[in-house]
mmCIF file with all atom_site columns, all heavy atoms in Angstrom:
data_model
loop_
_atom_site.group_PDB
_atom_site.id
_atom_site.type_symbol
_atom_site.label_atom_id
_atom_site.label_alt_id
_atom_site.label_comp_id
_atom_site.label_asym_id
_atom_site.label_entity_id
_atom_site.label_seq_id
_atom_site.pdbx_PDB_ins_code
_atom_site.Cartn_x
_atom_site.Cartn_y
_atom_site.Cartn_z
_atom_site.occupancy
_atom_site.B_iso_or_equiv
_atom_site.pdbx_formal_charge
_atom_site.auth_seq_id
_atom_site.auth_comp_id
_atom_site.auth_asym_id
_atom_site.auth_atom_id
_atom_site.pdbx_PDB_model_num
ATOM 1  N N   . MET S 1 59 ? 137.712 29.976 40.340 1.00 0.00 ? 72  MET S N   1
ATOM 2  C CA  . MET S 1 59 ? 138.679 30.148 39.315 1.00 0.00 ? 72  MET S CA  1
ATOM 3  C C   . MET S 1 59 ? 138.903 31.636 39.071 1.00 0.00 ? 72  MET S C   1
ATOM 4  O O   . MET S 1 59 ? 140.064 32.062 38.906 1.00 0.00 ? 72  MET S O   1
ATOM 5  C CB  . MET S 1 59 ? 138.224 29.484 38.006 1.00 0.00 ? 72  MET S CB  1
ATOM 6  C CG  . MET S 1 59 ? 139.227 29.520 36.913 1.00 0.00 ? 72  MET S CG  1
ATOM 7  S SD  . MET S 1 59 ? 138.676 28.685 35.421 1.00 0.00 ? 72  MET S SD  1
ATOM 8  C CE  . MET S 1 59 ? 137.364 29.803 34.873 1.00 0.00 ? 72  MET S CE  1
ATOM 9  N N   . LEU S 1 66 ? 143.472 29.016 35.059 1.00 0.00 ? 79  LEU S N   1
ATOM 10 C CA  . LEU S 1 66 ? 142.915 28.415 33.850 1.00 0.00 ? 79  LEU S CA  1
ATOM 11 C C   . LEU S 1 66 ? 142.306 27.058 34.055 1.00 0.00 ? 79  LEU S C   1
ATOM 12 O O   . LEU S 1 66 ? 141.695 26.514 33.154 1.00 0.00 ? 79  LEU S O   1
ATOM 13 C CB  . LEU S 1 66 ? 143.985 28.307 32.770 1.00 0.00 ? 79  LEU S CB  1
ATOM 14 C CG  . LEU S 1 66 ? 144.612 29.682 32.293 1.00 0.00 ? 79  LEU S CG  1
ATOM 15 C CD1 . LEU S 1 66 ? 145.739 29.357 31.374 1.00 0.00 ? 79  LEU S CD1 1
ATOM 16 C CD2 . LEU S 1 66 ? 143.555 30.525 31.672 1.00 0.00 ? 79  LEU S CD2 1
ATOM 17 N N   . ASP S 1 67 ? 142.478 26.465 35.226 1.00 0.00 ? 80  ASP S N   1
ATOM 18 C CA  . ASP S 1 67 ? 142.049 25.108 35.456 1.00 0.00 ? 80  ASP S CA  1
ATOM 19 C C   . ASP S 1 67 ? 141.410 24.921 36.800 1.00 0.00 ? 80  ASP S C   1
ATOM 20 O O   . ASP S 1 67 ? 141.835 25.537 37.796 1.00 0.00 ? 80  ASP S O   1
ATOM 21 C CB  . ASP S 1 67 ? 143.255 24.160 35.288 1.00 0.00 ? 80  ASP S CB  1
ATOM 22 C CG  . ASP S 1 67 ? 143.902 24.245 33.910 1.00 0.00 ? 80  ASP S CG  1
ATOM 23 O OD1 . ASP S 1 67 ? 143.255 23.675 32.974 1.00 0.00 ? 80  ASP S OD1 1
ATOM 24 O OD2 . ASP S 1 67 ? 144.920 24.857 33.823 1.00 0.00 ? 80  ASP S OD2 1
ATOM 25 N N   . TRP S 1 83 ? 138.412 17.339 35.901 1.00 0.00 ? 96  TRP S N   1
ATOM 26 C CA  . TRP S 1 83 ? 139.209 18.516 35.523 1.00 0.00 ? 96  TRP S CA  1
ATOM 27 C C   . TRP S 1 83 ? 138.357 19.371 34.585 1.00 0.00 ? 96  TRP S C   1
ATOM 28 O O   . TRP S 1 83 ? 137.692 18.832 33.677 1.00 0.00 ? 96  TRP S O   1
ATOM 29 C CB  . TRP S 1 83 ? 140.483 18.087 34.850 1.00 0.00 ? 96  TRP S CB  1
ATOM 30 C CG  . TRP S 1 83 ? 141.240 19.173 34.161 1.00 0.00 ? 96  TRP S CG  1
ATOM 31 C CD1 . TRP S 1 83 ? 141.687 20.371 34.708 1.00 0.00 ? 96  TRP S CD1 1
ATOM 32 C CD2 . TRP S 1 83 ? 141.617 19.183 32.779 1.00 0.00 ? 96  TRP S CD2 1
ATOM 33 N NE1 . TRP S 1 83 ? 142.310 21.112 33.746 1.00 0.00 ? 96  TRP S NE1 1
ATOM 34 C CE2 . TRP S 1 83 ? 142.317 20.371 32.541 1.00 0.00 ? 96  TRP S CE2 1
ATOM 35 C CE3 . TRP S 1 83 ? 141.500 18.330 31.716 1.00 0.00 ? 96  TRP S CE3 1
ATOM 36 C CZ2 . TRP S 1 83 ? 142.854 20.774 31.327 1.00 0.00 ? 96  TRP S CZ2 1
ATOM 37 C CZ3 . TRP S 1 83 ? 142.002 18.673 30.476 1.00 0.00 ? 96  TRP S CZ3 1
ATOM 38 C CH2 . TRP S 1 83 ? 142.674 19.868 30.301 1.00 0.00 ? 96  TRP S CH2 1
ATOM 39 N N   . LEU S 1 84 ? 138.275 20.630 34.813 1.00 0.00 ? 97  LEU S N   1
ATOM 40 C CA  . LEU S 1 84 ? 137.626 21.606 33.951 1.00 0.00 ? 97  LEU S CA  1
ATOM 41 C C   . LEU S 1 84 ? 138.587 22.686 33.582 1.00 0.00 ? 97  LEU S C   1
ATOM 42 O O   . LEU S 1 84 ? 139.329 23.185 34.438 1.00 0.00 ? 97  LEU S O   1
ATOM 43 C CB  . LEU S 1 84 ? 136.400 22.221 34.665 1.00 0.00 ? 97  LEU S CB  1
ATOM 44 C CG  . LEU S 1 84 ? 135.289 21.321 35.054 1.00 0.00 ? 97  LEU S CG  1
ATOM 45 C CD1 . LEU S 1 84 ? 134.299 22.041 35.943 1.00 0.00 ? 97  LEU S CD1 1
ATOM 46 C CD2 . LEU S 1 84 ? 134.554 20.808 33.818 1.00 0.00 ? 97  LEU S CD2 1
ATOM 47 N N   . SER S 1 85 ? 138.603 23.078 32.371 1.00 0.00 ? 98  SER S N   1
ATOM 48 C CA  . SER S 1 85 ? 139.465 24.176 31.953 1.00 0.00 ? 98  SER S CA  1
ATOM 49 C C   . SER S 1 85 ? 138.614 25.488 31.900 1.00 0.00 ? 98  SER S C   1
ATOM 50 O O   . SER S 1 85 ? 137.435 25.392 32.004 1.00 0.00 ? 98  SER S O   1
ATOM 51 C CB  . SER S 1 85 ? 140.067 23.945 30.571 1.00 0.00 ? 98  SER S CB  1
ATOM 52 O OG  . SER S 1 85 ? 139.085 24.067 29.573 1.00 0.00 ? 98  SER S OG  1
ATOM 53 N N   . ASP S 1 86 ? 139.269 26.603 31.709 1.00 0.00 ? 99  ASP S N   1
ATOM 54 C CA  . ASP S 1 86 ? 138.548 27.846 31.591 1.00 0.00 ? 99  ASP S CA  1
ATOM 55 C C   . ASP S 1 86 ? 137.609 27.855 30.400 1.00 0.00 ? 99  ASP S C   1
ATOM 56 O O   . ASP S 1 86 ? 136.528 28.403 30.468 1.00 0.00 ? 99  ASP S O   1
ATOM 57 C CB  . ASP S 1 86 ? 139.550 29.021 31.438 1.00 0.00 ? 99  ASP S CB  1
ATOM 58 C CG  . ASP S 1 86 ? 140.459 28.858 30.268 1.00 0.00 ? 99  ASP S CG  1
ATOM 59 O OD1 . ASP S 1 86 ? 140.966 27.762 30.004 1.00 0.00 ? 99  ASP S OD1 1
ATOM 60 O OD2 . ASP S 1 86 ? 140.777 29.928 29.640 1.00 0.00 ? 99  ASP S OD2 1
ATOM 61 N N   . LYS S 1 87 ? 137.938 27.085 29.373 1.00 0.00 ? 100 LYS S N   1
ATOM 62 C CA  . LYS S 1 87 ? 137.054 26.976 28.178 1.00 0.00 ? 100 LYS S CA  1
ATOM 63 C C   . LYS S 1 87 ? 135.848 26.179 28.513 1.00 0.00 ? 100 LYS S C   1
ATOM 64 O O   . LYS S 1 87 ? 134.764 26.488 28.026 1.00 0.00 ? 100 LYS S O   1
ATOM 65 C CB  . LYS S 1 87 ? 137.862 26.347 27.055 1.00 0.00 ? 100 LYS S CB  1
ATOM 66 C CG  . LYS S 1 87 ? 139.026 27.258 26.678 1.00 0.00 ? 100 LYS S CG  1
ATOM 67 C CD  . LYS S 1 87 ? 139.633 26.908 25.378 1.00 0.00 ? 100 LYS S CD  1
ATOM 68 C CE  . LYS S 1 87 ? 140.758 27.769 24.985 1.00 0.00 ? 100 LYS S CE  1
ATOM 69 N NZ  . LYS S 1 87 ? 141.372 28.729 25.911 1.00 0.00 ? 100 LYS S NZ  1
ATOM 70 N N   . ASP S 1 88 ? 135.962 25.172 29.385 1.00 0.00 ? 101 ASP S N   1
ATOM 71 C CA  . ASP S 1 88 ? 134.749 24.386 29.812 1.00 0.00 ? 101 ASP S CA  1
ATOM 72 C C   . ASP S 1 88 ? 133.791 25.246 30.562 1.00 0.00 ? 101 ASP S C   1
ATOM 73 O O   . ASP S 1 88 ? 132.574 25.212 30.427 1.00 0.00 ? 101 ASP S O   1
ATOM 74 C CB  . ASP S 1 88 ? 135.174 23.223 30.681 1.00 0.00 ? 101 ASP S CB  1
ATOM 75 C CG  . ASP S 1 88 ? 135.986 22.179 29.937 1.00 0.00 ? 101 ASP S CG  1
ATOM 76 O OD1 . ASP S 1 88 ? 135.698 21.843 28.813 1.00 0.00 ? 101 ASP S OD1 1
ATOM 77 O OD2 . ASP S 1 88 ? 136.997 21.674 30.541 1.00 0.00 ? 101 ASP S OD2 1
ATOM 78 N N   . ILE S 1 89 ? 134.356 26.120 31.423 1.00 0.00 ? 102 ILE S N   1
ATOM 79 C CA  . ILE S 1 89 ? 133.525 26.965 32.283 1.00 0.00 ? 102 ILE S CA  1
ATOM 80 C C   . ILE S 1 89 ? 132.898 28.076 31.451 1.00 0.00 ? 102 ILE S C   1
ATOM 81 O O   . ILE S 1 89 ? 131.726 28.459 31.706 1.00 0.00 ? 102 ILE S O   1
ATOM 82 C CB  . ILE S 1 89 ? 134.373 27.571 33.417 1.00 0.00 ? 102 ILE S CB  1
ATOM 83 C CG1 . ILE S 1 89 ? 134.824 26.491 34.399 1.00 0.00 ? 102 ILE S CG1 1
ATOM 84 C CG2 . ILE S 1 89 ? 133.650 28.709 34.159 1.00 0.00 ? 102 ILE S CG2 1
ATOM 85 C CD1 . ILE S 1 89 ? 133.703 25.844 35.188 1.00 0.00 ? 102 ILE S CD1 1
#
Side-chain angles (χ1 to χ4, degrees):
M72 185 178 70
L79 299 173
D80 300 284
W96 167 56
L97 298 168
S98 73
D99 58 321
K100 298 192 180 11
D101 296 318
I102 293 294

